[in-house]
């Protein structure tokens, strides 16, 4: 579903960029209008004679329009090819490769650096993740050559109010900081670090999120075949009812196979939601697999309420001796909306 949504958004973005007039075109059109507006009827014929000798705008505008149409058609053709390829698989079970980092590492925190000098030395903040869910502790590492000690503040990103402060000495250029779990931490947290590097104070700022869990993934039941899909029931304890999206990655050893997505409206309490893996993303004869990379998300119910996330009591789930041959090997049939989207893209490609 993510790939398909990206495809549609991409072509619309391309369409907007290609069709929206540039400032130069706007000015050109305005100048033409000014030339064509006579001061009065008496000078109309003279004005027409003078403008007749001016360089024509129409051929240039026609060329620009032709270029736009050509570029749009080429872009649409490429996107249509990608989209048609994606439609070979159902949206709930899309192929996964080692290059799909957004799916393999959906909660990745990218280290933040602050330069110390012009030689490339820097103070670095590293965290295990970007989004934390209670009762997780916030653990971070500050590193730099010559690091002596650090003062770390957690603050509310929106109000700038300081929540808590931690001081730590460094050992061998590293300082490890742990903030205990607090259910009432603000959602948006700013980490402000003042690092003492050989007597020089270097500031570093990073941002993370912290929230109470909306649901907890307790574990999975044994996978079983149903028509053309392998079903893996997931057991959750739901704190806040709503529309949930559960995502997970399927592996064979270290090789990524598929990104699985399931959406379902869940009530409060013990609930079950099924992940499905289409036969087409499973190598023939595959029996042993592993599920990991879980993301439990409660979708935003209204513009005024943001989406929220859950946590998991399990890091992975092993699927052993799955009866692959029991799956019905039926090709995926796109639904009407998907067919219409593909027709739309092909229509743009044809011009």
């Amino acid at each position: 579903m993510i790939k398909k949504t990206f495809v549609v958004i991409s072509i619309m973005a391309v369409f907007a960029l290609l069709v929206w007039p540039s400032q130069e075109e706007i000015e050109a059109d305005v100048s033409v209008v000014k030339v064509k507006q006579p001061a009065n009827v008496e000078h109309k014929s003279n004005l027409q004679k003078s403008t007749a000798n001016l360089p024509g705008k129409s051929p240039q505008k026609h060329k620009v329009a032709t270029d736009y149409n050509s570029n749009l058609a080429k872009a649409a053709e490429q996107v249509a090819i990608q989209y048609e390829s994606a439609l070979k698989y159902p949206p709930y079970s899309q192929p996964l490769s080692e290059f799909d980092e957004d799916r393999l590492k959906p909660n990745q925190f990218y280290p933040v650096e602050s330069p110390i000098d012009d030689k490339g030395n820097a103070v670095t903040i590293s965290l295990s993740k970007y989004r934390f869910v209670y009762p997780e502790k916030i653990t971070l590492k500050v590193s730099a050559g010559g690091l002596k000690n650090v003062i770390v503040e957690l603050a509310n990103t929106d109000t700038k109010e300081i929540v808590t402060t931690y001081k730590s000495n460094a050992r061998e250029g590293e300082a490890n900081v742990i903030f205990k779990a607090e259910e009432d931490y603000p959602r948006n947290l700013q980490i402000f670090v003042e690092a003492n590097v050989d007597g020089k104070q270097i500031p570093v700022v990073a941002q993370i999120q912290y929230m109470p869990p909306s649901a907890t993934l307790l574990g999975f039941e044994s996978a079983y075949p149903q028509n053309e899909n392998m079903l893996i029931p997931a057991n959750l304890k739901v704190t806040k009812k709503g529309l949930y999206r559960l995502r997970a990655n399927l592996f064979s050893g270290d090789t990524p196979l598929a990104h699985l997505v399931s959406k379902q409206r869940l009530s409060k309490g013990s609930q079950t939601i099924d992940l499905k893996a289409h036969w087409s993303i499973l190598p023939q004869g595959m029996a042993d697999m592993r599920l990991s990379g879980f993301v439990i998300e409660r979708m935003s119910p209204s513009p005024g309420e943001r989406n929220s996330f859950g946590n998991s009591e399990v890091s992975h789930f092993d699927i052993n001796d799955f009866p692959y041959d029991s799956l019905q090997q039926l090709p995926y049939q796109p639904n009407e909306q998907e067919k219409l989207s593909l027709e739309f893209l092909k229509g743009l490609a044809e011009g």
Side-chain angles (χ1 to χ4, degrees), residues 9-298:
I9 293 176
S10 296
I11 191 60
M12 295 309 295
V14 170
F15 182 83
L17 289 172
L18 292 174
V19 175
W20 192 263
S22 66
Q23 186 62 31
E24 294 176 356
E25 289 180 277
I26 294 173
E27 291 175 353
D29 288 341
V30 170
S31 65
V32 171
V33 171
K34 288 181 178 178
V35 171
K36 289 183 178 179
Q37 286 180 343
N40 51 52
V41 177
E42 182 180 354
H43 297 105
K44 185 174 182 180
S45 60
N46 293 332
L47 183 59
Q48 288 175 340
K49 291 179 182 178
S50 63
T51 56
N53 296 323
L54 291 176
K57 297 289 183 179
S58 297
Q60 180 63 28
K61 290 177 71 177
H62 178 71
K63 181 179 183 301
V64 171
T66 301
D67 289 343
Y68 282 170
N69 292 336
S70 176
N71 291 336
L72 177 60
K74 290 178 182 178
E77 182 180 8
Q78 291 301 316
V79 176
I81 291 172
Q82 296 176 17
Y83 188 56
E84 189 168 23
S85 178
L87 287 181
K88 294 178 182 177
Y89 307 93
Y92 57 80
S93 177
Q94 287 284 305
L96 184 68
S97 78
E98 59 183 323
F99 303 108
D100 296 323
E101 288 200 1
D102 58 330
R103 296 179 175 187
L104 293 171
K105 301 175 182 179
N107 197 13
Q108 175 84 352
F109 178 89
Y110 295 95
V112 178
E113 295 184 346
S114 182
I116 298 172
D117 50 37
D118 56 2
K119 298 178 181 179
N121 297 312
V123 177
T124 303
I125 300 178
S126 303
L127 288 94
S128 60
K129 60 184 71 177
Y130 165 73
R131 184 178 57 253
F132 292 81
V133 178
Y134 181 83
E136 293 177 329
K137 298 177 181 179
I138 300 173
T139 60
L140 63 101
K141 180 176 69 176
V142 183
S143 58
L147 182 66
K148 303 301 181 184
N149 55 64
V150 296
I151 299 174
V152 184
E153 292 179 350
L154 279 186
N156 187 322
T157 302
D158 303 319
T159 66
K160 307 304 179 185
E161 180 182 356
I162 296 175
V163 176
T164 184
T165 304
Y166 190 99
K167 298 180 181 180
S168 176
N169 293 323
R171 294 184 60 185
E172 300 181 353
E174 290 187 359
N176 293 299
V177 177
I178 301 176
F179 290 99
K180 65 179 183 179
E182 295 288 352
E183 195 168 6
D184 58 352
Y185 277 148
R187 178 185 176 106
N188 297 318
L189 282 172
Q190 178 174 280
I191 301 172
F192 179 79
V193 174
E194 190 174 273
N196 181 341
V197 181
D198 293 329
K200 187 178 182 180
Q201 302 300 318
I202 307 296
V204 195
V205 178
Q207 294 186 348
I208 60 172
Q209 289 189 342
Y210 198 97
M211 62 194 72
S214 55
T216 299
L217 176 62
L218 303 177
F220 293 87
E221 298 176 15
S222 298
Y224 65 93
Q226 186 182 84
N227 300 326
E228 69 272 25
N229 295 304
M230 175 177 71
L231 265 65
I232 314 127
N235 296 320
L236 294 90
K237 181 176 69 176
V238 178
T239 305
K240 296 177 68 175
K241 68 178 183 179
L243 178 62
Y244 277 83
R245 177 171 62 182
L246 175 62
R247 291 183 283 162
N249 297 320
L250 188 65
F251 294 83
S252 171
D254 294 328
T255 303
L257 297 176
H259 181 70
L260 310 182
V261 182
S262 182
K263 271 187 180 183
Q264 188 173 317
R265 192 165 295 279
L266 301 176
S267 302
K268 187 175 179 180
S270 298
Q271 298 290 319
T272 300
I273 182 171
D274 292 332
L275 287 171
K276 297 188 294 185
H278 196 254
W279 71 271
S280 58
I281 55 89
L282 303 176
Q284 188 170 4
M286 182 64 63
D288 297 332
M289 292 162 279
R290 171 169 289 197
L291 205 59
S292 63
F294 310 121
V295 179
I296 305 99
E297 182 181 6
R298 179 178 180 267

Side-chain angles (χ1 to χ4, degrees), residues 297-324:
E297 182 181 6
R298 179 178 180 267
M299 311 302 290
S300 171
S302 63
E305 185 177 348
R306 293 177 290 187
N307 60 344
S308 57
F309 293 83
N311 55 8
S312 177
E313 293 186 353
V314 294
S315 60
H316 65 273
F317 176 70
D318 291 326
I319 302 170
N320 299 317
D321 301 322
F322 180 77
Y324 174 86

